[in-house]
Amino acid sequence: LKNGVKDGPWVSYHRNGQLNIKGTYKDGKPDGPWVSYHDNGQLNKEVTLKNGVKDGPWVSYHRNGQLNIKGTYKDGKPDGPWVSYHDNGQLNKEVTLKNGVKDGPWVSYHRNGQVESQGTYKDGKEDGLWIFYYDNGQLKSKRTYKNSKREGYENSYHRNGQVESQGAYKDGKKEGLWILYYDNGLVSSKGTYKDGLEVSDSAKSLYRPSLSSPYLDPPKPLLLPDSYTPPSSLTSDALSELKKLLQENQ
C-alpha cells in the first residue's frame, strides 16, 4: 500500500495453498499483466489491464490446461476476432466482435470437430442465411434471419437426411402451411399458421406409421352424408347402399 492505496505487486492464494491471482496495482487500480490459476495449479486467465480497464490480449484455459478462449479487449470491451475451444482441444466458436457486439462471421463446432452452425451477425443480431449441422455432418436446417428474426421458407432435416419440417416464417413467426415428417419420410402432421398461431390442423395425423407396417397410409374415415339414415335391418338394398358409401371413401 502507498498512502492507503494499493500500489505494487498483488498475490492471492487458493485455500489449498495454490497460487490464485498475481498482478500489479498502480494508484489503486489493476495495471499491466494479470494472471490467475485454477486450484489444481493450471493456468486460468491471462489478461492485460490499463488503469483498471481490460485492454489488450485475453486468454483463458480449461482446468485440464487446454486453451479455452482467446481474444482482445479494447477500452474494456471485446473487439476483433475471438476464438473458443472445447476442453478436448477442438474448436468451439469463432466470432468477430466490434466494440463488444457480435458483428461479422460466426462459426460454432461440435466437440468432434464437425461444424455445428455458421452464419453472420450484424450489429449483434443474426442476419442473412444461417446453416446448422448434426455432429455426424448431416444438414440439420437452413434459416434466413432479418434483424434477428426468422424470415422466409425453410427446411429442417432428421439425422438420417430425411426432411423433418417444411414451412415459412414471417417476421419471426410461422406463416402459412407447415408440414412435419417422420424420419422414414412419411407425413406426420400438417397445419396452417397465421402470425405464429395455428389456425387449421384438420390434416393432422393421429397415427404413427413405421416402415415395418404394411400400411403406408392411414385408413380413410367413413364419411357419411348428413341425409344418411342407418337402416333398421341389412336388406339387400341397404347392403348395396353401404357398399357404395364404402367405395366412395376408398
Side-chain angles (χ1 to χ4, degrees), residues 62-119:
H62 292 284
R63 285 180 59 85
N64 64 359
Q66 289 281 0
L67 185 60
N68 184 9
I69 302 170
K70 68 176 182 179
T72 303
Y73 274 87
K74 184 178 180 181
D75 297 326
K77 295 180 179 180
D79 194 81
W82 278 70
V83 183
S84 67
Y85 298 83
H86 293 287
D87 59 9
N88 62 359
Q90 292 282 1
L91 274 170
N92 185 0
K93 295 181 180 70
E94 295 177 298
V95 59
T96 301
L97 297 103
K98 185 177 180 181
N99 200 29
V101 176
K102 295 171 186 173
D103 194 274
W106 162 284
V107 184
S108 67
Y109 301 84
H110 293 284
R111 285 180 58 85
N112 64 359
Q114 291 280 0
V115 173
E116 181 181 26
S117 65
Q118 56 186 19

Side-chain angles (χ1 to χ4, degrees), residues 83-235:
V83 183
S84 67
Y85 298 83
H86 293 287
D87 59 9
N88 62 359
Q90 292 282 1
L91 274 170
N92 185 0
K93 295 181 180 70
E94 295 177 298
V95 59
T96 301
L97 297 103
K98 185 177 180 181
N99 200 29
V101 176
K102 295 171 186 173
D103 194 274
W106 162 284
V107 184
S108 67
Y109 301 84
H110 293 284
R111 285 180 58 85
N112 64 359
Q114 291 280 0
V115 173
E116 181 181 26
S117 65
Q118 56 186 19
T120 304
Y121 276 92
K122 185 177 181 181
D123 297 327
K125 298 178 178 180
E126 296 98 329
D127 189 76
L129 177 64
W130 278 68
I131 306 175
F132 300 82
Y133 301 88
Y134 289 103
D135 57 9
N136 63 358
Q138 281 284 356
L139 179 64
K140 187 174 184 180
S141 66
K142 289 185 178 181
R143 304 173 185 172
T144 300
Y145 286 90
K146 185 177 181 181
N147 200 29
S148 208
K149 294 181 179 179
R150 288 156 82 166
E151 188 77 23
Y153 188 82
E154 65 180 56
N155 282 348
S156 68
Y157 302 86
H158 291 285
R159 285 180 64 88
N160 64 359
Q162 291 280 0
V163 175
E164 182 176 21
S165 66
Q166 294 176 316
Y169 278 88
K170 183 178 180 181
D171 198 29
K173 299 176 182 178
K174 287 183 177 181
E175 187 75 16
L177 177 65
W178 272 79
I179 306 175
L180 306 181
Y181 300 85
Y182 293 113
D183 58 9
N184 59 12
L186 298 178
V187 173
S188 165
S189 64
K190 298 179 182 179
T192 302
Y193 291 79
K194 185 174 178 62
D195 294 327
L197 299 176
E198 192 170 18
V199 295
S200 171
D201 62 355
S202 59
K204 275 195 172 181
S205 170
L206 299 178
Y207 78 111
R208 183 178 177 84
S210 66
L211 288 177
S212 61
S213 171
Y215 302 102
L216 297 183
D217 291 302
K220 295 182 179 180
L222 178 60
L223 302 177
L224 298 176
D226 295 337
S227 60
Y228 177 75
T229 302
S232 56
S233 61
L234 290 178
T235 63

Side-chain angles (χ1 to χ4, degrees), residues 34-46:
W34 278 70
V35 182
S36 67
Y37 298 84
H38 293 286
D39 58 9
N40 62 358
Q42 291 282 1
L43 269 172
N44 184 2
K45 296 184 181 72
E46 295 176 300

